[in-house]
Amino acid sequence: MTSLTGDTDVFTADVSSAKSRASVMFMSTRHDDLPGAYGPAERDTILSELDRLADEGWTLTLRKVFDSEAPNAPCALATGFAHGHDVAGVFEAPDPEAALRGTIRLEKAGWARIFRTEWLIGIKEFAPVMGKGSLTDHDWAFLALWEWNDQWCEASEAARTEYDLECDIAFKGDLALGVNIAGRHRMDWSHGWHHLGAWEIDGPDTADAAIRGHEAVADFKFTTSRHIVGRIAPIETLIAPRQF
């Protein structure tokens, strides 16, 4: 699958593997409101299934996208303080077929008993980009979904190229703020959203400062976006059974 746009100063095509890796984004809301609906057995089954996915080549933590030596311990974002869902995250699977099968396996393992989940599967387009201080103080994450609007569809190729260069100014500002950007993921083959971006950040204030930079270069004149911010936590903690 080709990229929707070409390389820029900041982003280049991901050529780390011969086969395009898939992204698996999820937004999950707890619904284990009754005793007996979800317990330690289901939690342990989910964790075992995640171990098997790791053995099959899945990347289960954003940290490992930037540091291949980092442990592949499953992590996600605690988002309930700011969003209608409780947990969000992004995994990487070896390919789209493995991604789809993996989501089904997780649901059957018990994920469906604890969460009502929106799964979004995409294809990795651009390689990760490291920000300033890339390997320290990144306990938070920021996820951005966006779609091109009618104005982008009607714009000339020259206007789109000029727009990409303007956005590069903002992305360079993000990197200067210490943001690590996990490349870009193409989602439009299966969703209304065109792209997903996943960032490691040191806190919500950094996300706010970064988005102000994107507003300054009129990034959003051609897009509609959905933004999610959360603190990174082990999935083992995020799927702990309730205490009734």
Side-chain angles (χ1 to χ4, degrees):
M1 184 179 292
T2 58
S3 296
L4 280 178
T5 59
D7 293 358
T8 69
D9 287 346
V10 173
F11 296 107
T12 56
D14 180 36
V15 293
S16 59
S17 61
K19 198 172 184 180
S20 296
R21 286 182 65 78
S23 53
V24 180
M25 180 183 177
F26 52 93
M27 293 171 283
S28 301
T29 304
R30 290 193 76 138
H31 63 170
D32 54 327
D33 299 323
L34 297 175
Y38 174 85
E42 287 79 14
R43 176 201 56 198
D44 293 345
T45 305
I46 292 172
L47 295 175
S48 296
E49 194 62 56
L50 288 167
D51 287 342
R52 283 189 282 273
L53 292 176
D55 291 341
E56 295 169 14
W58 284 53
T59 300
L60 301 175
T61 171
L62 197 54
R63 172 84 309 207
K64 194 167 180 62
V65 173
F66 302 107
D67 179 4
S68 61
E69 300 299 318
N72 197 18
C75 289
L77 287 63
T79 58
F81 73 99
H83 302 282
H85 44 79
D86 299 297
V87 175
V90 181
F91 298 151
E92 286 189 6
D95 55 60
E97 292 79 10
L100 178 58
R101 289 195 300 269
T103 61
I104 295 170
R105 286 162 54 184
L106 284 172
E107 290 273 344
K108 289 182 176 178
W111 194 277
R113 283 181 169 269
I114 182 174
F115 293 124
R116 180 177 64 255
T117 299
E118 181 179 2
W119 300 97
L120 299 91
I121 296 176
I123 302 295
K124 194 165 188 176
E125 277 188 325
F126 289 157
V129 187
M130 308 294 273
K132 181 181 178 182
S134 56
L135 299 180
T136 59
D137 297 334
H138 288 83
D139 294 333
W140 291 70
F142 175 81
L143 309 179
L145 290 161
W146 70 94
E147 62 176 321
W148 306 121
N149 59 23
D150 291 344
Q151 288 73 26
W152 184 87
C153 295
E154 294 171 355
S156 67
E157 184 173 344
R160 293 180 184 178
T161 299
E162 181 180 1
Y163 168 74
D164 287 341
L165 294 175
E166 291 172 349
C167 289
D168 248 15
I169 296 172
F171 283 118
K172 290 175 182 176
D174 302 337
L175 299 175
L177 289 169
V179 172
N180 294 330
I181 304 175
R184 190 176 76 178
H185 307 268
R186 181 173 177 176
M187 315 296 284
D188 65 302
W189 65 285
S190 59
H191 301 282
W193 299 109
H194 283 93
H195 288 116
L196 163 67
W199 298 359
E200 273 190 339
I201 56 176
D202 60 1
D205 287 346
T206 294
D208 182 61
I211 293 305
R212 290 179 187 278
H214 283 262
E215 289 176 340
V217 301
D219 183 349
F220 304 112
K221 68 181 179 183
F222 277 164
T223 63
T224 298
S225 301
R226 180 179 182 181
H227 296 158
I228 297 168
V229 66
R231 183 186 288 276
I232 297 173
I235 283 188
E236 182 175 7
T237 301
L238 296 171
I239 66 171
R242 294 183 190 275
Q243 299 297 317
F244 291 98

